[in-house]
Amino acid sequence: MTTWVLLRGLMRDSRHWYGFDRLIQQQGINLICVDLPGNGRLAQQVSPLSIDQYCDSVWQQIDAAMLESPELNSPLMLVGLSMGGMLALQMAAHRPQSVKQVVVINSSAANISTWYLRFQLAPLLVCSVKALWGAMGELMSDLRGNNPHKSHVHIIESIVLKYTSRNQCNNIEVLQAWSVMRQQQHTSFSNGLRQLYACAGFNCPTLPRIAVSVIVANQDQLAYPKCSDNLAVFYQTQLHKIDNCGHDASLDQPKELLQLLQQIAKT
């Protein structure tokens, strides 16, 4: 039996799995969720400037979880979304004896994809304009007294949701939940820049003895799907595709993603 380790991406933390982690545990699967330095529970730490430098902190969290719950002490399947995928690959290079499989979701690398495919700016601009326009409309409605009980939503979370989700981009419940998370704890601007720099410089490590699987969403607005194609070619592995899905695959298509991960875990 394997233990799955979930790794989130740029400026996101374990809270942003938003129930996907519970969905996995309901299947009786051993699971460890971690945070990257600078995110979530570790928001007060300074984010490293290279993906390689994140590995020790994350391995420490995994080791601590296994020490506290011995049933988790089994071969690992590292599941990384976006920046989390980069980290999963690098972590496997650090401790290949501990990793059975790596699953990379909507990720990329500098040595096989150009920067403008890895981080698409045009969709980000469009999503920003839409979010700002919506915020202006809500403000005018508030001034007229039409939304006396409206819950607070944060403009940055609105932009992020529109940018990373296809199916939940206008879901007010998700937006409100993520806004509350941001109010409670969020990645600082400086740490966000440091994480972006780390992602920009990431190159694929060679993993000759570890199975790597690549999953791509066909409607990813952040990382162009060709980036995942290139990863699959680099690791000489099958490319698994999820339709009607944005960058945040666990939010847009949680059940389909879970089924796909279960299939991969059996190989």
Side-chain angles (χ1 to χ4, degrees), residues 211-228:
V212 177
S213 298
V214 180
I215 298 175
V216 61
N218 70 332
Q219 298 293 331
D220 190 344
Q221 295 187 100
L222 195 161
Y224 192 66
K226 179 65 176 176
C227 296
S228 292

Side-chain angles (χ1 to χ4, degrees), residues 2-8 14 17 21 24-25 29-35 41 57-80 91 95 98:
T2 59
T3 293
W4 296 12
V5 178
L6 294 186
L7 301 160
R8 282 293 302 199
S14 55
W17 290 112
D21 49 345
I24 292 172
Q25 290 174 317
I29 298 168
N30 290 337
L31 182 67
I32 299 173
C33 288
V34 299
D35 284 339
R41 297 182 297 266
S57 172
V58 177
W59 275 120
Q60 288 172 11
Q61 294 176 63
I62 294 171
D63 292 340
M66 288 182 172
L67 186 62
E68 183 176 346
S69 304
E71 68 275 11
L72 299 176
N73 197 352
S74 59
L76 300 177
M77 183 170 84
L78 305 181
V79 181
M91 287 174 59
R95 283 171 49 171
S98 301

Side-chain angles (χ1 to χ4, degrees), residues 5-10 34-37 39 48 50-59 61-62 78-95 99 102-105 107-108 118 198-199 202-203 205 207 235:
V5 178
L6 294 186
L7 301 160
R8 282 293 302 199
L10 182 71
V34 299
D35 284 339
L36 278 60
N39 296 345
S50 72
I51 296 298
D52 188 68
Q53 294 173 331
Y54 286 82
C55 293
D56 286 346
S57 172
V58 177
W59 275 120
Q61 294 176 63
I62 294 171
L78 305 181
V79 181
L81 172 63
S82 192
M83 179 183 177
M86 304 176 204
L87 179 58
L89 293 168
Q90 199 65 46
M91 287 174 59
H94 272 224
R95 283 171 49 171
V99 179
V102 173
V103 183
V104 180
I105 308 167
S107 196
S108 64
R118 300 182 67 207
C199 291
F202 172 74
N203 292 323
L207 300 172
Y235 288 108

Side-chain angles (χ1 to χ4, degrees), residues 12 119 121 123-135 153-165 168-170 175 178-179 182 221-222:
R12 304 282 91 177
F119 194 84
L121 296 177
L124 175 59
L125 178 60
V126 171
C127 292
S128 299
V129 171
K130 288 181 178 179
L132 289 168
W133 184 259
V153 296
H154 199 284
I155 185 63
I156 291 179
E157 295 300 334
S158 180
I159 293 171
V160 169
L161 194 60
K162 291 182 185 301
Y163 190 34
T164 60
S165 174
Q168 304 295 332
C169 58
N170 295 313
L175 179 55
W178 284 17
S179 296
R182 182 177 185 83
Q221 295 187 100
L222 195 161

